[in-house]
PDB file of all heavy atoms in Angstrom:
ATOM      1  N   TYR A  54      -8.217   9.192  -1.608  1.00 92.00           N
ATOM      2  CA  TYR A  54      -9.378   9.573  -0.827  1.00 92.00           C
ATOM      3  C   TYR A  54      -8.984  10.625   0.215  1.00 92.00           C
ATOM      4  O   TYR A  54      -7.893  10.583   0.768  1.00 92.00           O
ATOM      5  CB  TYR A  54      -9.961   8.369  -0.077  1.00 92.00           C
ATOM      6  CG  TYR A  54     -10.742   7.415  -0.922  1.00 92.00           C
ATOM      7  CD1 TYR A  54     -10.117   6.368  -1.585  1.00 92.00           C
ATOM      8  CD2 TYR A  54     -12.120   7.548  -1.053  1.00 92.00           C
ATOM      9  CE1 TYR A  54     -10.843   5.475  -2.348  1.00 92.00           C
ATOM     10  CE2 TYR A  54     -12.857   6.668  -1.821  1.00 92.00           C
ATOM     11  CZ  TYR A  54     -12.206   5.629  -2.467  1.00 92.00           C
ATOM     12  OH  TYR A  54     -12.924   4.757  -3.238  1.00 92.00           O
ATOM     13  N   TYR A  56     -10.563  12.206   3.777  1.00 95.00           N
ATOM     14  CA  TYR A  56     -11.552  12.167   4.839  1.00 95.00           C
ATOM     15  C   TYR A  56     -11.175  13.179   5.898  1.00 95.00           C
ATOM     16  O   TYR A  56     -10.016  13.592   5.984  1.00 95.00           O
ATOM     17  CB  TYR A  56     -11.593  10.775   5.503  1.00 95.00           C
ATOM     18  CG  TYR A  56     -12.327   9.735   4.706  1.00 95.00           C
ATOM     19  CD1 TYR A  56     -11.716   9.103   3.622  1.00 95.00           C
ATOM     20  CD2 TYR A  56     -13.627   9.387   5.028  1.00 95.00           C
ATOM     21  CE1 TYR A  56     -12.390   8.153   2.887  1.00 95.00           C
ATOM     22  CE2 TYR A  56     -14.319   8.429   4.298  1.00 95.00           C
ATOM     23  CZ  TYR A  56     -13.690   7.821   3.232  1.00 95.00           C
ATOM     24  OH  TYR A  56     -14.370   6.875   2.506  1.00 95.00           O
ATOM     25  N   GLN A  58     -11.972  14.156  10.222  1.00 97.00           N
ATOM     26  CA  GLN A  58     -12.552  13.696  11.461  1.00 97.00           C
ATOM     27  C   GLN A  58     -12.629  14.875  12.424  1.00 97.00           C
ATOM     28  O   GLN A  58     -11.602  15.406  12.858  1.00 97.00           O
ATOM     29  CB  GLN A  58     -11.742  12.565  12.090  1.00 97.00           C
ATOM     30  CG  GLN A  58     -12.409  11.975  13.328  1.00 97.00           C
ATOM     31  CD  GLN A  58     -11.608  10.844  13.945  1.00 97.00           C
ATOM     32  OE1 GLN A  58     -10.397  10.772  13.811  1.00 97.00           O
ATOM     33  NE2 GLN A  58     -12.303   9.937  14.647  1.00 97.00           N
ATOM     34  N   SER A  61     -14.191  13.553  18.213  1.00 87.00           N
ATOM     35  CA  SER A  61     -15.149  12.599  18.793  1.00 87.00           C
ATOM     36  C   SER A  61     -16.260  12.185  17.834  1.00 87.00           C
ATOM     37  O   SER A  61     -17.352  11.820  18.265  1.00 87.00           O
ATOM     38  CB  SER A  61     -15.767  13.172  20.073  1.00 87.00           C
ATOM     39  OG  SER A  61     -14.775  13.288  21.070  1.00 87.00           O
ATOM     40  N   GLN A  62     -15.977  12.253  16.536  1.00 94.00           N
ATOM     41  CA  GLN A  62     -16.932  11.754  15.555  1.00 94.00           C
ATOM     42  C   GLN A  62     -16.244  10.757  14.636  1.00 94.00           C
ATOM     43  O   GLN A  62     -15.020  10.673  14.606  1.00 94.00           O
ATOM     44  CB  GLN A  62     -17.515  12.911  14.731  1.00 94.00           C
ATOM     45  CG  GLN A  62     -18.309  13.908  15.550  1.00 94.00           C
ATOM     46  CD  GLN A  62     -18.899  15.007  14.684  1.00 94.00           C
ATOM     47  OE1 GLN A  62     -19.106  14.830  13.483  1.00 94.00           O
ATOM     48  NE2 GLN A  62     -19.178  16.143  15.286  1.00 94.00           N
ATOM     49  N   GLY A  63     -17.033  10.012  13.873  1.00 95.00           N
ATOM     50  CA  GLY A  63     -16.453   9.138  12.872  1.00 95.00           C
ATOM     51  C   GLY A  63     -15.934   9.934  11.693  1.00 95.00           C
ATOM     52  O   GLY A  63     -16.374  11.067  11.460  1.00 95.00           O
ATOM     53  N   PRO A  64     -14.998   9.393  10.941  1.00 95.00           N
ATOM     54  CA  PRO A  64     -14.485  10.099   9.762  1.00 95.00           C
ATOM     55  C   PRO A  64     -15.590  10.393   8.760  1.00 95.00           C
ATOM     56  O   PRO A  64     -16.520   9.596   8.584  1.00 95.00           O
ATOM     57  CB  PRO A  64     -13.464   9.110   9.189  1.00 95.00           C
ATOM     58  CG  PRO A  64     -13.024   8.299  10.348  1.00 95.00           C
ATOM     59  CD  PRO A  64     -14.262   8.154  11.187  1.00 95.00           C
ATOM     60  N   HIS A  69     -12.787  12.149  -3.526  1.00 91.00           N
ATOM     61  CA  HIS A  69     -11.737  11.251  -3.973  1.00 91.00           C
ATOM     62  C   HIS A  69     -11.521  11.422  -5.462  1.00 91.00           C
ATOM     63  O   HIS A  69     -12.395  11.941  -6.188  1.00 91.00           O
ATOM     64  CB  HIS A  69     -12.051   9.788  -3.630  1.00 91.00           C
ATOM     65  CG  HIS A  69     -13.107   9.144  -4.489  1.00 91.00           C
ATOM     66  ND1 HIS A  69     -14.453   9.394  -4.303  1.00 91.00           N
ATOM     67  CD2 HIS A  69     -13.016   8.271  -5.507  1.00 91.00           C
ATOM     68  CE1 HIS A  69     -15.142   8.672  -5.167  1.00 91.00           C
ATOM     69  NE2 HIS A  69     -14.305   7.990  -5.925  1.00 91.00           N
ATOM     70  N   TYR A 107      -7.372  13.568   6.550  1.00 97.00           N
ATOM     71  CA  TYR A 107      -6.581  12.403   6.164  1.00 97.00           C
ATOM     72  C   TYR A 107      -6.593  12.225   4.651  1.00 97.00           C
ATOM     73  O   TYR A 107      -7.658  12.232   4.022  1.00 97.00           O
ATOM     74  CB  TYR A 107      -7.131  11.127   6.799  1.00 97.00           C
ATOM     75  CG  TYR A 107      -7.096  11.091   8.307  1.00 97.00           C
ATOM     76  CD1 TYR A 107      -8.217  11.439   9.051  1.00 97.00           C
ATOM     77  CD2 TYR A 107      -5.941  10.707   8.980  1.00 97.00           C
ATOM     78  CE1 TYR A 107      -8.193  11.395  10.442  1.00 97.00           C
ATOM     79  CE2 TYR A 107      -5.909  10.654  10.366  1.00 97.00           C
ATOM     80  CZ  TYR A 107      -7.039  10.999  11.088  1.00 97.00           C
ATOM     81  OH  TYR A 107      -7.007  10.953  12.449  1.00 97.00           O
ATOM     82  N   SER A 111      -6.394   4.544  -1.873  1.00 82.00           N
ATOM     83  CA  SER A 111      -7.302   3.423  -1.683  1.00 82.00           C
ATOM     84  C   SER A 111      -6.541   2.121  -1.800  1.00 82.00           C
ATOM     85  O   SER A 111      -5.455   2.067  -2.384  1.00 82.00           O
ATOM     86  CB  SER A 111      -8.413   3.469  -2.711  1.00 82.00           C
ATOM     87  OG  SER A 111      -7.918   3.070  -3.985  1.00 82.00           O
ATOM     88  N   PRO A 112      -7.098   1.056  -1.255  1.00 67.00           N
ATOM     89  CA  PRO A 112      -6.442  -0.239  -1.360  1.00 67.00           C
ATOM     90  C   PRO A 112      -6.368  -0.674  -2.812  1.00 67.00           C
ATOM     91  O   PRO A 112      -7.240  -0.325  -3.603  1.00 67.00           O
ATOM     92  CB  PRO A 112      -7.347  -1.178  -0.567  1.00 67.00           C
ATOM     93  CG  PRO A 112      -8.276  -0.320   0.183  1.00 67.00           C
ATOM     94  CD  PRO A 112      -8.360   0.981  -0.514  1.00 67.00           C
ATOM     95  N   GLN A 115     -10.273  -4.225  -5.092  1.00 57.00           N
ATOM     96  CA  GLN A 115     -11.519  -3.507  -5.291  1.00 57.00           C
ATOM     97  C   GLN A 115     -12.436  -3.564  -4.080  1.00 57.00           C
ATOM     98  O   GLN A 115     -13.261  -2.711  -3.876  1.00 57.00           O
ATOM     99  CB  GLN A 115     -12.252  -4.070  -6.516  1.00 57.00           C
ATOM    100  CG  GLN A 115     -11.552  -3.737  -7.809  1.00 57.00           C
ATOM    101  CD  GLN A 115     -11.428  -2.243  -8.009  1.00 57.00           C
ATOM    102  OE1 GLN A 115     -12.401  -1.515  -7.949  1.00 57.00           O
ATOM    103  NE2 GLN A 115     -10.227  -1.762  -8.247  1.00 57.00           N
ATOM    104  N   THR A 118     -10.733  -4.674   1.524  1.00 80.00           N
ATOM    105  CA  THR A 118      -9.528  -4.167   2.176  1.00 80.00           C
ATOM    106  C   THR A 118      -9.813  -2.804   2.767  1.00 80.00           C
ATOM    107  O   THR A 118     -10.371  -1.939   2.105  1.00 80.00           O
ATOM    108  CB  THR A 118      -8.375  -4.052   1.172  1.00 80.00           C
ATOM    109  OG1 THR A 118      -8.212  -5.297   0.509  1.00 80.00           O
ATOM    110  CG2 THR A 118      -7.072  -3.712   1.878  1.00 80.00           C
ATOM    111  N   ALA A 119      -9.418  -2.617   4.007  1.00 88.00           N
ATOM    112  CA  ALA A 119      -9.761  -1.399   4.728  1.00 88.00           C
ATOM    113  C   ALA A 119      -8.891  -0.223   4.335  1.00 88.00           C
ATOM    114  O   ALA A 119      -7.789  -0.378   3.807  1.00 88.00           O
ATOM    115  CB  ALA A 119      -9.624  -1.648   6.229  1.00 88.00           C
ATOM    116  N   LEU A 120      -9.393   0.974   4.621  1.00 89.00           N
ATOM    117  CA  LEU A 120      -8.576   2.170   4.538  1.00 89.00           C
ATOM    118  C   LEU A 120      -7.614   2.183   5.723  1.00 89.00           C
ATOM    119  O   LEU A 120      -8.006   1.869   6.844  1.00 89.00           O
ATOM    120  CB  LEU A 120      -9.453   3.421   4.589  1.00 89.00           C
ATOM    121  CG  LEU A 120     -10.340   3.713   3.380  1.00 89.00           C
ATOM    122  CD1 LEU A 120     -11.170   4.962   3.635  1.00 89.00           C
ATOM    123  CD2 LEU A 120      -9.523   3.870   2.117  1.00 89.00           C
ATOM    124  N   PHE A 122      -5.307   4.555   7.935  1.00 95.00           N
ATOM    125  CA  PHE A 122      -5.146   5.970   8.254  1.00 95.00           C
ATOM    126  C   PHE A 122      -3.731   6.279   8.720  1.00 95.00           C
ATOM    127  O   PHE A 122      -3.156   5.555   9.529  1.00 95.00           O
ATOM    128  CB  PHE A 122      -6.134   6.370   9.356  1.00 95.00           C
ATOM    129  CG  PHE A 122      -7.557   6.451   8.899  1.00 95.00           C
ATOM    130  CD1 PHE A 122      -8.299   5.296   8.693  1.00 95.00           C
ATOM    131  CD2 PHE A 122      -8.142   7.677   8.647  1.00 95.00           C
ATOM    132  CE1 PHE A 122      -9.615   5.369   8.249  1.00 95.00           C
ATOM    133  CE2 PHE A 122      -9.456   7.756   8.219  1.00 95.00           C
ATOM    134  CZ  PHE A 122     -10.189   6.602   8.018  1.00 95.00           C
ATOM    135  N   GLY A 123      -3.192   7.371   8.207  1.00 94.00           N
ATOM    136  CA  GLY A 123      -1.950   7.918   8.727  1.00 94.00           C
ATOM    137  C   GLY A 123      -2.270   8.899   9.829  1.00 94.00           C
ATOM    138  O   GLY A 123      -3.333   8.835  10.451  1.00 94.00           O
TER     139      GLY A 123
ATOM    140  N   PHE B  54     -15.532  -3.012   8.605  1.00 95.00           N
ATOM    141  CA  PHE B  54     -14.233  -2.880   9.243  1.00 95.00           C
ATOM    142  C   PHE B  54     -14.393  -2.242  10.621  1.00 95.00           C
ATOM    143  O   PHE B  54     -15.222  -1.365  10.820  1.00 95.00           O
ATOM    144  CB  PHE B  54     -13.302  -2.007   8.389  1.00 95.00           C
ATOM    145  CG  PHE B  54     -13.232  -2.436   6.951  1.00 95.00           C
ATOM    146  CD1 PHE B  54     -14.001  -1.803   5.987  1.00 95.00           C
ATOM    147  CD2 PHE B  54     -12.404  -3.465   6.561  1.00 95.00           C
ATOM    148  CE1 PHE B  54     -13.953  -2.188   4.661  1.00 95.00           C
ATOM    149  CE2 PHE B  54     -12.340  -3.868   5.240  1.00 95.00           C
ATOM    150  CZ  PHE B  54     -13.123  -3.228   4.285  1.00 95.00           C
ATOM    151  N   TYR B  56     -12.353  -0.255  13.736  1.00 98.00           N
ATOM    152  CA  TYR B  56     -11.178   0.510  14.104  1.00 98.00           C
ATOM    153  C   TYR B  56     -11.254   0.860  15.586  1.00 98.00           C
ATOM    154  O   TYR B  56     -12.328   0.906  16.180  1.00 98.00           O
ATOM    155  CB  TYR B  56     -11.102   1.825  13.306  1.00 98.00           C
ATOM    156  CG  TYR B  56     -10.912   1.679  11.817  1.00 98.00           C
ATOM    157  CD1 TYR B  56     -12.000   1.444  10.980  1.00 98.00           C
ATOM    158  CD2 TYR B  56      -9.656   1.835  11.236  1.00 98.00           C
ATOM    159  CE1 TYR B  56     -11.833   1.335   9.603  1.00 98.00           C
ATOM    160  CE2 TYR B  56      -9.484   1.748   9.858  1.00 98.00           C
ATOM    161  CZ  TYR B  56     -10.575   1.492   9.058  1.00 98.00           C
ATOM    162  OH  TYR B  56     -10.409   1.396   7.699  1.00 98.00           O
ATOM    163  N   GLN B  58      -9.506   3.908  18.277  1.00 97.00           N
ATOM    164  CA  GLN B  58      -8.770   5.166  18.296  1.00 97.00           C
ATOM    165  C   GLN B  58      -8.562   5.622  19.733  1.00 97.00           C
ATOM    166  O   GLN B  58      -9.530   5.890  20.451  1.00 97.00           O
ATOM    167  CB  GLN B  58      -9.522   6.243  17.501  1.00 97.00           C
ATOM    168  CG  GLN B  58      -8.763   7.547  17.367  1.00 97.00           C
ATOM    169  CD  GLN B  58      -9.491   8.548  16.493  1.00 97.00           C
ATOM    170  OE1 GLN B  58     -10.721   8.600  16.479  1.00 97.00           O
ATOM    171  NE2 GLN B  58      -8.756   9.362  15.750  1.00 97.00           N
ATOM    172  N   SER B  63      -4.337   8.349  15.661  1.00 95.00           N
ATOM    173  CA  SER B  63      -5.135   8.084  14.467  1.00 95.00           C
ATOM    174  C   SER B  63      -5.942   6.798  14.642  1.00 95.00           C
ATOM    175  O   SER B  63      -5.791   6.076  15.627  1.00 95.00           O
ATOM    176  CB  SER B  63      -4.204   7.965  13.266  1.00 95.00           C
ATOM    177  OG  SER B  63      -4.940   7.844  12.079  1.00 95.00           O
ATOM    178  N   LEU B  64      -6.805   6.538  13.681  1.00 96.00           N
ATOM    179  CA  LEU B  64      -7.579   5.305  13.707  1.00 96.00           C
ATOM    180  C   LEU B  64      -6.662   4.119  13.422  1.00 96.00           C
ATOM    181  O   LEU B  64      -5.825   4.175  12.518  1.00 96.00           O
ATOM    182  CB  LEU B  64      -8.681   5.328  12.647  1.00 96.00           C
ATOM    183  CG  LEU B  64      -9.925   6.155  12.932  1.00 96.00           C
ATOM    184  CD1 LEU B  64      -9.657   7.632  12.729  1.00 96.00           C
ATOM    185  CD2 LEU B  64     -11.076   5.692  12.063  1.00 96.00           C
ATOM    186  N   LEU B  66      -6.766   0.079  12.499  1.00 96.00           N
ATOM    187  CA  LEU B  66      -7.609  -1.028  12.062  1.00 96.00           C
ATOM    188  C   LEU B  66      -7.456  -2.212  13.013  1.00 96.00           C
ATOM    189  O   LEU B  66      -6.334  -2.627  13.318  1.00 96.00           O
ATOM    190  CB  LEU B  66      -7.234  -1.448  10.643  1.00 96.00           C
ATOM    191  CG  LEU B  66      -8.016  -2.614  10.054  1.00 96.00           C
ATOM    192  CD1 LEU B  66      -9.482  -2.215   9.835  1.00 96.00           C
ATOM    193  CD2 LEU B  66      -7.397  -3.062   8.726  1.00 96.00           C
ATOM    194  N   PHE B 111     -12.182   4.744  21.611  1.00 98.00           N
ATOM    195  CA  PHE B 111     -13.231   5.127  20.666  1.00 98.00           C
ATOM    196  C   PHE B 111     -13.236   4.069  19.576  1.00 98.00           C
ATOM    197  O   PHE B 111     -12.225   3.887  18.889  1.00 98.00           O
ATOM    198  CB  PHE B 111     -12.905   6.519  20.114  1.00 98.00           C
ATOM    199  CG  PHE B 111     -14.025   7.177  19.349  1.00 98.00           C
ATOM    200  CD1 PHE B 111     -15.288   7.271  19.884  1.00 98.00           C
ATOM    201  CD2 PHE B 111     -13.789   7.726  18.102  1.00 98.00           C
ATOM    202  CE1 PHE B 111     -16.322   7.897  19.192  1.00 98.00           C
ATOM    203  CE2 PHE B 111     -14.810   8.368  17.392  1.00 98.00           C
ATOM    204  CZ  PHE B 111     -16.078   8.446  17.942  1.00 98.00           C
ATOM    205  N   ILE B 113     -14.802   2.510  16.071  1.00 98.00           N
ATOM    206  CA  ILE B 113     -15.485   3.011  14.875  1.00 98.00           C
ATOM    207  C   ILE B 113     -15.592   1.887  13.853  1.00 98.00           C
ATOM    208  O   ILE B 113     -14.633   1.145  13.644  1.00 98.00           O
ATOM    209  CB  ILE B 113     -14.711   4.181  14.240  1.00 98.00           C
ATOM    210  CG1 ILE B 113     -14.433   5.266  15.278  1.00 98.00           C
ATOM    211  CG2 ILE B 113     -15.469   4.772  13.057  1.00 98.00           C
ATOM    212  CD1 ILE B 113     -13.397   6.290  14.822  1.00 98.00           C
ATOM    213  N   LEU B 117     -17.729  -0.506   2.987  1.00 80.00           N
ATOM    214  CA  LEU B 117     -17.554  -0.014   1.627  1.00 80.00           C
ATOM    215  C   LEU B 117     -18.924   0.192   1.010  1.00 80.00           C
ATOM    216  O   LEU B 117     -19.788  -0.674   1.104  1.00 80.00           O
ATOM    217  CB  LEU B 117     -16.745  -1.026   0.821  1.00 80.00           C
ATOM    218  CG  LEU B 117     -16.236  -0.584  -0.553  1.00 80.00           C
ATOM    219  CD1 LEU B 117     -15.302   0.601  -0.412  1.00 80.00           C
ATOM    220  CD2 LEU B 117     -15.528  -1.734  -1.246  1.00 80.00           C
ATOM    221  N   ASN B 122     -15.101   0.647  -4.830  1.00 56.00           N
ATOM    222  CA  ASN B 122     -14.049   1.649  -4.708  1.00 56.00           C
ATOM    223  C   ASN B 122     -14.472   3.027  -5.186  1.00 56.00           C
ATOM    224  O   ASN B 122     -14.025   4.041  -4.689  1.00 56.00           O
ATOM    225  CB  ASN B 122     -12.821   1.207  -5.498  1.00 56.00           C
ATOM    226  CG  ASN B 122     -11.671   0.853  -4.597  1.00 56.00           C
ATOM    227  OD1 ASN B 122     -11.852   0.672  -3.414  1.00 56.00           O
ATOM    228  ND2 ASN B 122     -10.493   0.754  -5.153  1.00 56.00           N
ATOM    229  N   SER B 123     -15.338   3.074  -6.171  1.00 59.00           N
ATOM    230  CA  SER B 123     -15.735   4.360  -6.721  1.00 59.00           C
ATOM    231  C   SER B 123     -16.704   5.094  -5.818  1.00 59.00           C
ATOM    232  O   SER B 123     -16.987   6.260  -6.027  1.00 59.00           O
ATOM    233  CB  SER B 123     -16.367   4.161  -8.104  1.00 59.00           C
ATOM    234  OG  SER B 123     -17.534   3.360  -7.991  1.00 59.00           O
ATOM    235  N   GLY B 125     -16.470   4.977  -2.232  1.00 73.00           N
ATOM    236  CA  GLY B 125     -15.885   5.379  -0.967  1.00 73.00           C
ATOM    237  C   GLY B 125     -16.406   4.561   0.192  1.00 73.00           C
ATOM    238  O   GLY B 125     -17.343   3.788   0.077  1.00 73.00           O
ATOM    239  N   TYR B 126     -15.780   4.775   1.309  1.00 87.00           N
ATOM    240  CA  TYR B 126     -16.117   4.072   2.522  1.00 87.00           C
ATOM    241  C   TYR B 126     -16.959   4.976   3.412  1.00 87.00           C
ATOM    242  O   TYR B 126     -16.713   6.169   3.517  1.00 87.00           O
ATOM    243  CB  TYR B 126     -14.841   3.686   3.266  1.00 87.00           C
ATOM    244  CG  TYR B 126     -13.951   2.712   2.524  1.00 87.00           C
ATOM    245  CD1 TYR B 126     -13.244   3.096   1.392  1.00 87.00           C
ATOM    246  CD2 TYR B 126     -13.814   1.403   2.967  1.00 87.00           C
ATOM    247  CE1 TYR B 126     -12.426   2.215   0.718  1.00 87.00           C
ATOM    248  CE2 TYR B 126     -12.986   0.503   2.302  1.00 87.00           C
ATOM    249  CZ  TYR B 126     -12.303   0.913   1.181  1.00 87.00           C
ATOM    250  OH  TYR B 126     -11.497   0.034   0.522  1.00 87.00           O
ATOM    251  N   PHE B 128     -18.399   5.646   7.302  1.00 94.00           N
ATOM    252  CA  PHE B 128     -18.053   5.351   8.683  1.00 94.00           C
ATOM    253  C   PHE B 128     -19.226   5.599   9.611  1.00 94.00           C
ATOM    254  O   PHE B 128     -20.048   6.488   9.375  1.00 94.00           O
ATOM    255  CB  PHE B 128     -16.862   6.213   9.127  1.00 94.00           C
ATOM    256  CG  PHE B 128     -15.568   5.795   8.515  1.00 94.00           C
ATOM    257  CD1 PHE B 128     -15.242   6.166   7.225  1.00 94.00           C
ATOM    258  CD2 PHE B 128     -14.674   5.011   9.230  1.00 94.00           C
ATOM    259  CE1 PHE B 128     -14.050   5.762   6.643  1.00 94.00           C
ATOM    260  CE2 PHE B 128     -13.474   4.605   8.664  1.00 94.00           C
ATOM    261  CZ  PHE B 128     -13.167   4.979   7.364  1.00 94.00           C
ATOM    262  N   GLY B 129     -19.270   4.797  10.674  1.00 96.00           N
ATOM    263  CA  GLY B 129     -20.220   5.066  11.731  1.00 96.00           C
ATOM    264  C   GLY B 129     -19.755   6.252  12.553  1.00 96.00           C
ATOM    265  O   GLY B 129     -18.652   6.768  12.375  1.00 96.00           O
ATOM    266  N   SER B 130     -20.614   6.667  13.468  1.00 96.00           N
ATOM    267  CA  SER B 130     -20.306   7.845  14.281  1.00 96.00           C
ATOM    268  C   SER B 130     -19.424   7.515  15.479  1.00 96.00           C
ATOM    269  O   SER B 130     -19.011   8.411  16.210  1.00 96.00           O
ATOM    270  CB  SER B 130     -21.593   8.508  14.753  1.00 96.00           C
ATOM    271  OG  SER B 130     -22.400   7.554  15.441  1.00 96.00           O
ATOM    272  N   ARG B 133     -17.899   5.506  22.158  1.00 97.00           N
ATOM    273  CA  ARG B 133     -16.918   5.820  23.208  1.00 97.00           C
ATOM    274  C   ARG B 133     -17.105   4.824  24.342  1.00 97.00           C
ATOM    275  O   ARG B 133     -18.134   4.827  25.008  1.00 97.00           O
ATOM    276  CB  ARG B 133     -17.142   7.241  23.721  1.00 97.00           C
ATOM    277  CG  ARG B 133     -16.238   7.639  24.888  1.00 97.00           C
ATOM    278  CD  ARG B 133     -14.841   7.972  24.440  1.00 97.00           C
ATOM    279  NE  ARG B 133     -14.810   9.034  23.447  1.00 97.00           N
ATOM    280  CZ  ARG B 133     -13.721   9.330  22.741  1.00 97.00           C
ATOM    281  NH1 ARG B 133     -12.600   8.643  22.921  1.00 97.00           N
ATOM    282  NH2 ARG B 133     -13.762  10.300  21.865  1.00 97.00           N
TER     283      ARG B 133
END
Side-chain angles (χ1 to χ4, degrees):
Chain A
Y54 284 88
Y56 282 79
Q58 186 180 26
S61 293
Q62 297 182 24
H69 74 283
Y107 297 96
S111 74
Q115 290 301 307
T118 307
L120 290 178
F122 287 76
Chain B
F54 309 98
Y56 295 83
Q58 185 176 34
S63 186
L64 283 77
L66 179 67
F111 192 51
I113 307 166
L117 191 61
N122 249 15
S123 62
Y126 296 71
F128 288 80
S130 55
R133 176 77 57 192

